[in-house]
Amino acid sequence: MEQRLLPVLGLTLFLSACATTEKTAPREATPGSGLVLADMDLTVDPAKDFYRFANGGWLDANPVPADEASWGVFHEVDKRNELVLREILEGALKNPKDELHRKLGDFYATGMDEGAIEAQGAKPLAEELARIEGLADIAGLPALLARLHSIGASGLFGIGSSADLTDATQNILFLAQDGMGLPEKDYYLRTDEESGELRKQYEAHVARMLELLAESRGESGADAARQAATVLALETELAKNSFGAVEFRDPQNLLNKISVADAQALTPHFDWSAYLTAQQLDPAHAINLIAPGYFKNADALLAIRPLEEWKTYLRWQLVNAFADSLSKDFDEQNFAFFGRTLGGAKEQRPRWKRVIDSTGGAMGEALGQAFVEQTFSPKAKERCLQMVGDLLAAMRVRLEGLAWMSDVTRARALEKLATFQTKLGYPDKWRDWSRLDVQRDSFARNQMRAAEFAFRYDLAKVGKPVDKSEWGMPAYIVNAGYNPLNNDITFPAGILQPPFFSEAYDDALNYGAMGAVIGHEITHGFDDEGSQFDAQGNLADWWTEEDRSEFERRAKVVEEQFSDYVAIGELKVNGKLTLGENLADLAGLTIARDALALRQANQRLALLDGFTPEQRFFLAWARAWRNNYTPERLKLQVNTNPHAPAMFRAIGPLSNLDAFQHAFGFRDDAPVMRPPAARAIVW
């Protein structure tokens, strides 16, 4: 089970006449660009609906599968990766070639042994439930929470190590709000009818889970409804003073470095020394406590809420954490709410896929080590590194020529760019898994042991220098990231595959898709969040006041643009929540095009599949964001996710780019374009 990452740890990627059909329809093509024309809808005027023009065939042929809540390019690549991972794990189960593969195989085996899981029911939780029942008073809560946190259960707050926001060379302990089952604070506080109904469904789900838990122990579940009401009431009170998704996006809100004595004064009813000692941490170390108002409110609740209510809350947190590794009744009820009601999926994914996810959550880097042996060639890595070099060079040229930035800020921006580190494909050194205990006894117990192994590994970093070579995601993952504290960009082997990248593609497609992803992560270092960190990874203001003001003015245009997009019904995209990702998309696409021009300078540019290199570049971008959603999943994304829905990521940046307009010959008033005077230009 993967430990939760604190929000600070990184930023990721998922005039009257329009152009004529004659201008953009495929002509006699030279095969080999990598476009799939059947995935497009060439009957659509691209000046009116470029997203449909680029993706219509694929969108029609790829409805959301019954066991998914959305379906897009990331899912397609992940599906191919899953087949490789399945082969690895089944091979490790039957014939492990070493101790690492034995552990991978044994973990996978316990997850696939449905008979044993069914026979055990909720017994794997018995020891932890006994600890909760044995809680005699609030004074015993710190030690109990320390235990639950260590095995992967939530409760009141989350804990983990990260680089100090003001000294990125050293690791410090971070504490942040946690232990609320709904996705975000507003799910508890919104007063509209739909939100109220969802809370009723959540309360009913909690009641059913607690009822199942009681019945599994031979007890009556008659009191489950009252207990569920207690859980919802407690979580609602906790939510009131918590940070929302937008507040978490501002790094300034995350900085609150204090001593344990100061934390104790803030929360007099919770013994921090007892908690930290139970976690084998030195109470003399400073901590970074995010959202002090949340902790103060939680402490007040500890003083007034009866002990039995907290025990009920912790039982819920425990069963919620491990529901998908228990017997079928728990697993299916867990899916019924979080998968079907909240996400919109109609049925469970096949068990082998879910167990692969669990194995990756427990031993992600180990599974990634086996994955890259089969999937990522040295030649592919060399070409990807070439793209990264081109993108960094293009960003440097942009910064050097930026008219609105002063020389003082420019020098610091160029210094930051020059210190970027690239992690591509897989780590240079692999983690040691020798101390992880994996047995064939219980899937849930293996989850707990793996969570505790990861937890201890993480907390052991507190008070020590940051290892900037360490990766924050497994090599098989379909993702990319920028870490402002390390000032590094990461591109795992999992995403360096078609349609993002292929050794067989021409440069236009590779730069329009993977190149733009690389540019996206580079420019996260200069978006509204990343720009607050300096070249060393410290939270520091390196801008002149005038330059910061001008940057914010230009970013505001992007915020307002996306806030106008209607996602579903009357629900609009949150331009403030998605601002960083939208800025990175716009800038990443811009410098990817610059990089392509640098790469293709003095080359003879061929017409392939009926499109020019410029057109193929923009088509590659648009197809990277093809995606279908269930209504429930789309609402969840808009309400909680810092990434805008895929269709807006595809068209939003393009509508600002003169180069896109010129590539397809669109007029200024083409529906796909924003008016020239309203176009966002940042980098």
Side-chain angles (χ1 to χ4, degrees):
M1 179 173 293
E2 194 171 57
Q3 293 292 321
R4 290 177 177 82
L5 294 177
L6 297 173
V8 72
L9 291 184
L11 305 160
T12 56
L13 209 73
F14 247 157
L15 285 148
S16 59
C18 299
T20 65
T21 304
E22 180 183 5
K23 192 164 228 172
T24 57
R27 289 152 281 184
E28 186 175 348
T30 303
S33 77
L35 285 178
V36 179
L37 300 183
D39 286 345
M40 302 172 67
D41 186 347
L42 302 176
T43 68
V44 171
D45 185 342
K48 293 181 179 178
D49 189 348
F50 190 76
Y51 185 64
R52 178 80 195 174
F53 176 77
N55 298 310
W58 186 94
L59 293 169
D60 291 345
N62 289 272
V64 178
D67 60 352
E68 298 284 353
S70 66
W71 189 255
V73 168
F74 285 79
H75 302 87
E76 285 187 308
V77 180
D78 189 57
K79 182 180 179 180
R80 294 199 301 268
N81 291 353
E82 278 180 337
L83 296 176
V84 177
L85 298 176
R86 185 182 193 181
E87 181 182 341
I88 290 168
L89 290 170
E90 290 185 349
L93 186 159
K94 296 170 185 174
N95 187 27
K97 63 182 182 180
D98 54 30
E99 180 63 8
L100 180 60
H101 281 73
R102 194 277 301 170
K103 290 180 179 181
L104 286 169
D106 283 357
F107 193 100
Y108 183 72
T110 59
M112 293 301 296
D113 190 348
E114 295 180 81
I117 292 171
E118 201 63 29
Q120 291 170 2
K123 289 179 183 176
L125 304 185
E127 185 178 335
E128 311 309 327
L129 287 168
R131 286 189 170 97
I132 294 172
E133 295 308 314
L135 182 65
D137 50 40
I138 288 297
L141 184 61
L144 176 58
L145 275 180
R147 168 62 185 175
L148 294 176
H149 290 165
S150 74
I151 62 169
S154 298
L156 277 182
F157 59 89
I159 174 175
S161 72
S162 179
D164 188 335
L165 291 171
T166 57
D167 179 7
T169 66
Q170 297 294 313
N171 284 303
I172 189 175
L173 185 67
F174 275 70
L175 301 170
Q177 66 194 48
D178 197 11
M180 292 169 279
L182 289 173
E184 202 256 357
K185 69 176 291 184
D186 286 345
Y187 278 78
Y188 293 93
L189 306 179
R190 279 193 291 261
T191 58
D192 60 280
E193 184 177 347
E194 183 177 356
S195 298
E197 179 59 30
L198 184 63
R199 285 192 292 272
K200 289 180 183 177
Q201 292 172 302
Y202 175 61
E203 185 175 346
H205 165 65
V206 175
R208 180 56 182 153
M209 293 292 275
L210 292 175
E211 182 180 37
L212 289 171
L213 191 62
E215 291 172 352
S216 73
R217 304 166 70 194
E219 302 170 358
S220 169
D223 202 29
R226 183 190 64 80
Q227 293 175 354
T230 294
V231 169
L232 180 59
L234 265 178
E235 290 185 0
T236 301
E237 289 301 313
L238 290 170
K240 288 178 180 177
N241 288 78
S242 66
F243 276 177
V246 173
E247 291 169 292
F248 264 121
R249 284 203 66 252
D250 186 349
Q252 301 295 334
N253 287 338
L254 308 183
L255 178 59
N256 185 40
K257 188 175 176 179
I258 60 175
S259 67
V260 173
D262 288 338
Q264 194 60 66
L266 181 72
T267 58
H269 301 97
F270 189 86
D271 188 339
W272 284 108
S273 291
Y275 177 83
L276 295 173
T277 299
Q279 296 293 24
Q280 304 166 36
L281 292 167
D282 184 351
H285 285 305
I287 59 178
N288 195 91
L289 189 144
I290 299 172
Y294 169 84
F295 283 88
K296 185 175 181 179
N297 178 55
D299 185 75
L301 292 172
L302 289 176
I304 62 175
R305 292 284 190 168
L307 181 67
E308 285 304 313
E309 291 191 0
W310 291 110
K311 291 163 78 167
T312 296
Y313 167 79
L314 293 176
R315 281 195 300 273
W316 156 244
Q317 293 295 330
L318 179 67
V319 71
N320 187 42
F322 297 100
D324 60 357
S325 57
L326 301 177
S327 54
K328 192 174 183 179
D329 45 3
F330 289 95
D331 184 31
E332 290 189 344
Q333 177 58 40
N334 183 65
F335 169 76
F337 180 75
F338 289 107
R340 186 178 294 119
T341 300
L342 204 55
K346 295 180 177 61
E347 60 187 47
Q348 282 263 43
R349 296 167 67 220
R351 184 163 193 89
W352 67 267
K353 292 187 176 186
R354 293 184 285 130
V355 177
I356 285 175
D357 288 347
S358 297
T359 308
M363 300 178 66
E365 189 170 304
L367 192 53
Q369 184 175 347
F371 175 82
V372 297
E373 292 172 359
Q374 298 188 29
T375 60
F376 195 57
S377 72
K379 184 179 177 182
K381 183 167 185 175
E382 181 182 353
R383 190 169 177 193
C384 289
L385 285 171
Q386 180 187 79
M387 274 203 297
V388 173
D390 288 347
L391 268 292
L392 289 168
M395 185 63 178
R396 184 174 63 251
V397 171
R398 280 274 162 182
L399 289 171
E400 288 171 344
L402 207 57
W404 61 263
M405 182 176 280
S406 71
D407 289 341
V408 172
T409 304
R410 188 191 330 279
R412 292 169 180 165
L414 289 169
E415 177 194 3
K416 181 171 185 177
L417 185 68
T419 63
F420 265 61
Q421 298 297 310
T422 301
K423 297 172 179 175
L424 193 142
Y426 48 86
D428 294 327
K429 60 180 180 180
W430 298 100
R431 185 183 300 185
D432 177 9
W433 296 88
S434 60
R435 298 181 67 182
L436 171 63
D437 180 24
V438 179
Q439 301 178 24
R440 286 280 186 116
D441 59 343
S442 162
F443 185 39
R445 296 302 298 178
N446 272 339
Q447 295 269 31
M448 294 179 193
R449 287 188 284 260
E452 186 164 16
F453 172 81
F455 187 78
R456 296 298 167 208
Y457 178 87
D458 181 54
L459 291 194
K461 301 173 188 175
V462 174
K464 297 177 182 177
V466 172
D467 178 2
K468 296 202 173 188
S469 70
E470 189 172 37
W471 278 49
M473 60 184 77
Y476 63 83
I477 204 79
V478 187
N479 202 355
Y482 169 72
N483 186 334
L485 296 166
N486 283 355
N487 198 29
D488 65 26
I489 46 179
T490 302
F491 308 103
I495 196 174
L496 298 172
Q497 299 179 56
F500 294 105
F501 168 81
S502 171
E503 293 178 54
Y505 286 175
D506 79 308
D507 285 335
L509 287 194
N510 278 335
Y511 281 70
M514 195 62 222
V517 171
I518 294 167
H520 173 104
E521 301 306 338
I522 289 172
T523 55
H524 262 318
F526 304 91
D527 70 12
D528 61 317
E529 286 184 80
S531 64
Q532 298 184 53
F533 293 83
D534 65 16
Q536 288 72 47
N538 300 316
L539 186 60
D541 187 5
W542 48 271
W543 295 64
T544 67
E545 184 177 343
E546 294 80 6
D547 288 344
R548 171 62 70 179
S549 177
E550 179 61 18
F551 170 77
E552 291 176 351
R553 185 190 70 78
R554 290 168 181 266
K556 189 71 174 177
V557 177
V558 178
E559 178 187 328
E560 292 173 351
Q561 173 190 352
F562 277 80
S563 293
D564 280 340
Y565 289 136
V566 178
I568 183 171
E570 298 181 356
L571 183 63
K572 290 186 174 183
V573 175
N574 186 334
K576 190 177 291 294
L577 174 61
T578 60
L579 180 58
E581 301 300 329
N582 297 332
L583 288 172
D585 280 346
L586 175 59
L589 188 60
T590 299
I591 66 168
R593 180 186 170 274
D594 292 350
L596 177 64
L598 290 171
R599 176 58 47 190
Q600 293 187 328
N602 303 317
Q603 291 183 17
R604 183 181 178 185
L605 304 181
L607 189 72
L608 297 176
D609 297 319
F611 295 98
T612 68
E614 283 270 280
Q615 291 171 337
R616 296 198 302 274
F617 172 86
F618 291 117
L619 286 167
W621 166 261
R623 78 172 182 177
W625 299 112
R626 60 194 184 199
N627 206 103
N628 284 313
Y629 296 90
T630 63
E632 296 86 351
R633 181 64 182 83
L634 186 54
K635 291 175 185 176
L636 182 65
Q637 170 131 357
V638 172
N639 285 324
T640 65
N641 200 303
H643 301 83
M647 53 281 209
F648 303 122
R649 297 188 71 177
I651 64 172
L654 295 180
S655 68
N656 289 298
L657 297 182
D658 294 349
F660 170 62
Q661 177 182 356
H662 297 152
F664 286 90
F666 299 146
R667 303 290 287 270
D668 282 350
D669 65 345
V672 76
M673 300 303 303
R674 286 165 60 80
R679 292 177 191 173
I681 303 173
V682 183
W683 300 111

